Amino acid sequence: MSGAVDIDAGVRRGAGFEEQTYRKVTLRLIPFLVLCYVAAYLDRVNVGFAKLQMLGDLHFSETAYGLGAGVFFIGYFLFEVPSNLMLQRVGARAWIARIMVTWALVSGAFFFVQTTTEYYVLRFFLGAAEAGFYPGIVLYLMQWYPARRRSHVLAIFMVGIPLAGIVGGPLSGFLLEAFKGVHGYAGWRWLFLIEAAPSLVLGVAAFFYLANRPGDAKWLTVEEAELLTNALDGTSAHQTRVASTVGQVFCDARILLMALIYFCVIMGQYGLTFWMPTLIRGSGVRDPIMIGLLSAIPFVVGAVSMISFGKNSDRTGERRWHLIIPMAMGAIGYLITVWAGSNVPLSMLGLSLAAAGVLTPGPLFWALPTAILSGTGAATGIAAINAFAGLAGFVSPYLIGWLRDLTHSATIAMYVSAGVVTLGAAMILLVPAKLVNR
């Protein structure tokens, strides 16, 4: 009888049991976290659609819009590392809930904006409220998945970005028109208020739904929790521990290099997400609902690209070229968008290629720093890299807005975006392959 029990336990702990356990974890956590990220990203970038009406209504310039869009990332930068350290101290369940409820309240407050000062202040506080959410999720998933599984899981999670575009584009276009003049208020005001509601609901739900670690999850068996914990211990044992404390993180030149690479990735992303509605309108499309529908197309392409590259990167263990190739695609896509002019089909081709190219590197990038981070350094390093790169979210919209006001054209701005993405791809070659490839 004892032998039969041992055989049964061995079967349960075999490859089939491992795959079944990770499938269970993924189905439990990832759909909910994707919904949270969709809500977060929608509240962050819906100002791009509000802009179609808000600028004329409040008499804002393109530069003022770009500055406000970018001020978000100043607040994000200042509070990113403290937020991630607090998440590590109090646990993801409570801290992610706090982040989401706070940003929902701030986002809804945009309903009342009247002046550029109010716009800037609320964008700053929105960034401060959301600080720590994305790097916190990266840190949270590190507590559930070993390194060999993270790129694919993060790619699925970050599908929230294109999903926010797929859902948010048509929704935002509809809200701008359907709620225009309701109770005497402009459609863009209702857009902010209505789109803040999902974040509020999901933030409350997160407190009751998430478990901090496998050992805390009541929906796992003892055997499943042990398997997950042991797999993480194995990852730590084979990890290159070059940065495990706060001091080591800020003294490691490779962390700085990775922060610069991610800065280029993020600048490429926000050159697209904050300005896509404006670029589509510039190609000759005027109806807000049609702009919303067309804006969903590049995000669909981006979602497919993210998952495909992420899955293949985990399968092969290769990291660098899975970043370089899509970033080159993104630069080419920006150039096609410039050359397309008023040719709508060609513009959509360029935007779709750009979306695939600048969205795909997001999740794959984190295979680089997590290969050299451990312990407290993981919480600090992930937050520090993300915070520094987040400054691109300030630079990109402000720079593009200023260039558009200066030249009355998007051409120079798109060339700059293409150049920055190309620079980021080139810097990846400076990261030793043996350090990050499996």
Side-chain angles (χ1 to χ4, degrees):
M1 179 66 71
S2 175
V5 172
D6 290 342
I7 291 172
D8 181 60
V11 171
R12 287 180 17 244
R13 289 183 177 276
F17 177 64
E18 179 179 338
E19 290 303 320
Q20 177 184 335
T21 301
Y22 279 108
R23 188 179 303 114
K24 182 177 181 179
V25 171
T26 299
L27 290 175
R28 170 77 183 194
L29 296 181
I30 301 303
F32 180 78
L33 294 176
V34 167
L35 284 176
C36 292
Y37 199 36
V38 168
Y41 210 79
L42 188 59
D43 284 342
R44 182 188 299 185
V45 303
N46 58 7
V47 68
F49 272 93
K51 170 183 181 287
L52 299 176
Q53 293 181 353
M54 184 175 70
L55 264 62
D57 193 17
L58 299 181
H59 307 292
F60 288 1
S61 68
E62 294 279 354
T63 304
Y65 161 74
L67 177 59
V71 161
F72 169 97
F73 295 95
I74 301 299
Y76 198 85
F77 171 79
L78 293 175
F79 290 91
E80 185 91 331
V81 172
S83 179
N84 228 34
L85 291 174
M86 186 61 71
L87 181 144
Q88 189 182 40
R89 177 176 297 179
V90 306
R93 182 173 70 93
W95 198 247
I96 289 173
R98 193 286 305 165
I99 289 173
M100 295 188 67
V101 169
T102 306
W103 93 51
L105 296 175
V106 176
S107 185
F110 277 84
F111 181 92
F112 303 101
V113 166
Q114 297 289 348
T115 67
T116 53
T117 299
E118 293 170 350
Y119 171 55
Y120 298 152
V121 169
L122 282 177
R123 286 294 295 179
F124 175 85
F125 280 113
L126 186 65
E130 193 188 323
F133 176 74
Y134 174 71
I137 296 297
V138 174
L139 181 64
Y140 179 59
L141 292 177
M142 286 178 66
Q143 297 167 353
W144 290 84
Y145 294 91
R148 68 181 186 276
R149 293 180 178 268
R150 284 178 197 151
S151 287
H152 188 210
V153 170
L154 281 171
I156 297 173
F157 165 66
M158 286 191 67
V159 165
I161 294 179
L163 274 180
I166 294 166
V167 175
L171 175 63
S172 297
F174 169 77
L175 292 176
L176 285 177
E177 288 298 297
F179 283 79
K180 183 189 298 183
V182 172
H183 297 298
Y185 294 104
W188 65 267
R189 295 186 184 275
W190 290 109
L191 182 152
F192 283 119
L193 190 64
I194 293 170
E195 291 186 352
S199 296
L200 185 62
V201 173
L202 288 168
V204 174
F207 183 79
F208 299 97
Y209 187 81
L210 296 178
N212 287 329
R213 291 178 175 83
D216 301 329
K218 296 180 180 179
W219 43 272
L220 289 174
T221 67
V222 173
E223 292 85 357
E224 289 168 340
E226 287 179 353
L227 182 147
L228 296 171
T229 301
N230 291 337
L232 294 174
D233 290 341
T235 293
S236 297
H238 293 89
Q239 195 169 33
T240 306
R241 292 178 177 270
V242 299
S244 59
T245 68
V246 174
Q248 288 173 336
V249 165
F250 288 105
C251 293
D252 194 321
R254 283 169 289 191
I255 298 298
L256 176 59
L257 173 63
M258 292 178 187
L260 291 170
I261 292 169
Y262 201 48
F263 180 95
C264 295
V265 170
I266 297 299
M267 190 158 177
Q269 285 184 5
Y270 288 120
L272 184 77
T273 52
F274 278 125
W275 296 93
M276 188 185 292
T278 302
L279 292 169
I280 294 175
R281 184 169 65 179
S283 69
V285 182
R286 297 300 175 192
D287 178 52
I289 296 178
M290 182 56 66
I291 291 174
L293 291 171
L294 289 174
S295 70
I297 296 173
F299 287 112
V300 171
V301 177
V304 173
S305 178
M306 287 172 71
I307 294 175
S308 299
F309 272 86
K311 186 174 183 178
N312 195 63
S313 180
D314 274 351
R315 182 183 64 81
T316 62
E318 200 289 320
R319 304 304 185 187
R320 298 193 309 167
W321 287 101
H322 281 79
L323 287 167
I324 294 170
I325 291 172
M327 291 176 75
M329 290 164 45
I332 293 170
Y334 273 127
L335 296 179
I336 292 174
T337 302
V338 171
W339 300 332
S342 59
N343 186 324
V344 176
L346 190 57
S347 292
M348 296 310 302
L349 173 64
L351 289 172
S352 297
L353 192 59
V358 300
L359 296 178
T360 296
L364 276 65
F365 165 81
W366 292 104
L368 275 58
T370 55
I372 64 172
L373 291 168
S374 63
T376 303
T380 306
I382 291 170
I385 290 170
N386 199 62
F388 176 80
L391 291 176
F394 171 77
V395 174
S396 179
Y398 178 70
L399 178 63
I400 291 176
W402 178 74
L403 288 172
R404 284 179 60 86
D405 275 340
L406 183 68
T407 64
H408 304 289
S409 169
T411 299
I412 299 298
M414 293 301 99
Y415 281 136
V416 169
S417 295
V420 170
V421 172
T422 302
L423 176 62
M427 284 193 291
I428 294 170
L429 293 173
L430 299 176
V431 179
K434 64 180 180 181
L435 183 67
V436 294
N437 290 347
R438 189 178 72 233

